[in-house]
Amino acid sequence: MLLAAVMVIVGAIVLSIYVASTGLGSSVGGEIDNVMDNIIIPGLVGMLLV
């Protein structure tokens, strides 16, 4: 149950970042994708594995 709640929160964060990146310009969207790929997703995966 707790894992499902964490997955819903992670999904909401990723979805909100994706929507924000598509709504902004391509250069800003590329920067957001870069941050998401290098910082946010590895941090969330590390948090789930601990």
Side-chain angles (χ1 to χ4, degrees):
M1 186 70 120
L2 185 62
L3 181 60
V6 170
M7 294 302 288
V8 167
I9 293 170
V10 169
I13 291 171
V14 170
L15 181 63
S16 65
I17 291 172
Y18 176 75
V19 168
S21 68
T22 56
L24 298 171
S26 62
S27 63
V28 175
E31 187 67 31
I32 290 173
D33 288 339
N34 187 28
V35 169
M36 194 167 84
D37 290 340
N38 294 327
I39 297 172
I40 296 174
I41 293 176
L44 291 174
V45 169
M47 188 173 64
L48 289 174
L49 295 177
V50 171

